[in-house]
Amino acid sequence: METVKSFIDLRSDTVTHPNEGMKQAMFAAKVGDDVFGEDPSINELEARCAAIFGHEAALFCASGTMANQIAIKTHTQPMDEIILDKTAHIYYYETAGYAFHSGVSVKLVDGNRGIITAAQVVENIQPDFDWLPKTSLVCLENTANKGGGSCYELSSIIEIKSVCDKHGLKLHMDGARLFNAIVAKQYTTLEVGSLLDSISLCFSKGLGAPVGSVLIGNRAFIRKARRVRKAFGGGMRQAGFLAAACMYALDNNIQRLAQDHTHAQQIADTLSKLTWVEAILPPETNILIFEIKESETSVDEVLLFLKNNNILATQFGKHQIRMVTHLDVSGYSIDKVCSVLTSFQQLM
Ligand SMILES: *Cc1c(COP(=O)(O)O)cnc(C)c1O
């Protein structure tokens, strides 16, 4: 529950706390030893996630990073290369795990707000020579975090899938916020799922669970991924308490993501009227990135003013601020954020 004193925390959608209903679901969870495959809640979550995306199997993981890293390890061989956008989470925020765990290199694509095209994939496939890495995997991030929550069109994924098929490449989606994209773009889970060899989902972002990610794919892929997860130290025992929170999120927190998107747009509309704002990346989902006009103020000054008004946001690049809306930020709080931003204008 938000109280008057508490911060309106827009630093990330990872800061959410489980609500009463989610905690009740966790308390009531039936659990067993998941390393033995005997946790009924984990088994149910995995089966549900696979079915939702039209795949055969799924694997519960401790984090989105772990799910992505397991996917890369399972799809590739050392000396392979993966194609992904230059701002991808897998490249930027996973401590070069692709090199450490899988011995692969990355071919970075100059996408638009984190979104790459089929033509760019084609251009970046390595020719078949002994002295070149072997391209074997394409990773798409949807929504794209550093792109400001931008989304793939279904038609673009179809084109990329056809390039992958033609060149024998696997296609993985870092879908940490895939449900945000699905709600915003209104394609179905089955439509997008049918185009991908594997998908990672995060439940600890806008879906509001405390912990948990799921990796989805065909039976053979998940069987191998399960071995990799054990080798990475990710085999958990009675983790069904966490799976129960994720299932609660599936049941209750997907459709409401549309509210978060409306809230991000509401803040963007307010910012568009303020003279100290240089530019705003139009928010497609729940992530809003905007640039400060250097001649008028600074990122530090704006963040301090917000903090003094019980609002938290983050610096994102030299002149940019990022705000992320989520289920612990009410419409009432968004109104407050908008009025505080406007009052900063009046001080100047
Ligand atoms: C958050 C996130 C992940 C996974 O992060 P964890 O903190 O390891 O769960 C992966 N990809 C994207 C795009 C993300 O935003």
Side-chain angles (χ1 to χ4, degrees):
M1 277 294 288
E2 283 179 282
T3 60
V4 184
K5 279 262 164 63
S6 71
F7 282 98
I8 299 171
D9 195 343
L10 300 170
R11 290 173 302 164
S12 175
D13 48 8
T14 56
V15 300
T16 59
H17 288 242
N19 66 8
E20 273 316 307
M22 186 176 275
K23 283 191 242 180
Q24 293 294 334
M26 294 173 79
F27 266 120
K30 293 196 176 63
V31 297
D33 190 327
D34 183 48
V35 173
F36 297 163
E38 290 173 3
D39 188 301
S41 300
I42 298 266
N43 291 343
E44 188 183 342
L45 174 69
E46 290 175 344
R48 281 186 66 181
C49 289
I52 287 170
F53 286 92
H55 278 263
E56 290 174 347
L59 184 70
F60 186 68
C61 297
S63 68
T65 298
M66 179 181 270
N68 283 334
Q69 292 300 320
I70 291 172
I72 294 167
K73 183 71 185 168
T74 307
H75 282 308
T76 64
Q77 294 295 321
M79 303 188 285
D80 282 0
E81 186 163 84
I82 61 181
I83 294 177
L84 72 178
D85 180 74
K86 64 185 187 304
T87 63
H89 192 281
I90 288 173
Y91 172 64
Y92 240 88
Y93 294 126
E94 301 186 10
T95 52
Y98 56 86
F100 182 66
H101 296 302
S102 302
V104 299
S105 65
V106 286
K107 184 82 176 177
L108 300 179
V109 178
D110 187 18
N112 175 25
R113 291 185 63 179
I115 303 296
I116 66 175
T117 65
Q120 287 176 315
V121 172
V122 173
E123 280 163 28
N124 284 283
I125 297 172
Q126 298 282 14
D128 184 13
F129 290 117
D130 282 353
W131 50 89
L132 294 176
K134 182 180 185 299
T135 307
S136 62
L137 176 65
V138 176
C139 297
L140 307 179
E141 188 171 309
N142 196 23
T143 71
N145 178 4
K146 276 179 89 71
S150 46
C151 307
Y152 277 89
E153 297 293 342
L154 192 66
S155 57
S156 311
I157 308 172
I158 292 171
E159 287 168 18
I160 292 171
K161 166 67 174 164
S162 120
V163 167
C164 289
D165 283 348
K166 192 164 158 211
H167 294 270
L169 311 178
K170 298 291 187 202
L171 185 56
H172 171 71
M173 182 165 282
D174 177 352
R177 296 187 181 84
L178 180 52
F179 283 112
N180 291 84
I182 285 169
V183 166
K185 290 289 174 184
Q186 303 194 334
Y187 32 80
T188 67
T189 50
L190 291 178
E191 283 171 329
V192 70
S194 70
L195 301 169
L196 302 164
D197 293 296
S198 58
I199 307 164
S200 58
L201 302 174
C202 275
F203 287 88
S204 57
K205 301 266 165 84
L207 295 184
V211 179
S213 279
V214 167
L215 179 63
I216 299 166
N218 70 28
R219 207 165 279 120
F221 172 82
I222 292 297
R223 196 186 167 114
K224 192 174 163 202
R226 209 177 154 82
R227 286 181 62 78
V228 173
R229 184 185 68 175
K230 195 73 179 81
F232 285 180
M236 294 185 281
R237 305 294 176 172
Q238 286 74 27
F241 293 113
L242 302 174
C246 298
M247 280 190 279
Y248 179 90
L250 280 181
D251 291 332
N252 295 282
N253 293 347
I254 292 178
Q255 290 316 315
R256 64 152 307 288
L257 291 170
Q259 273 175 43
D260 299 339
H261 303 172
T262 306
H263 288 162
Q265 186 58 52
Q266 209 178 320
I267 301 174
D269 291 344
T270 297
L271 289 169
S272 69
K273 295 173 198 137
L274 306 179
T275 56
W276 51 273
V277 176
E278 176 73 36
I280 305 162
L281 283 188
E284 291 185 29
T285 51
N286 69 328
I287 302 176
L288 172 63
I289 296 172
F290 62 97
E291 194 178 323
I292 303 298
K293 201 174 279 173
E294 247 188 303
S295 56
E296 304 227 3
T297 179
S298 68
V299 166
D300 286 347
E301 223 171 41
V302 176
L303 289 179
L304 184 63
F305 183 79
L306 289 171
K307 195 168 179 190
N308 289 338
N309 285 279
N310 291 331
I311 297 164
L312 301 177
T314 46
Q315 176 152 20
F316 211 68
K318 202 157 173 232
H319 304 299
Q320 291 178 324
I321 289 176
R322 187 182 84 161
M323 292 179 164
V324 186
T325 57
H326 52 77
L327 75 176
D328 284 356
V329 182
S330 63
Y332 172 82
S333 297
I334 295 296
D335 291 342
K336 164 110 193 282
V337 170
C338 291
S339 72
V340 168
L341 288 166
T342 305
S343 69
F344 185 68
Q345 168 90 11
Q346 284 150 5
L347 286 178
M348 295 173 42

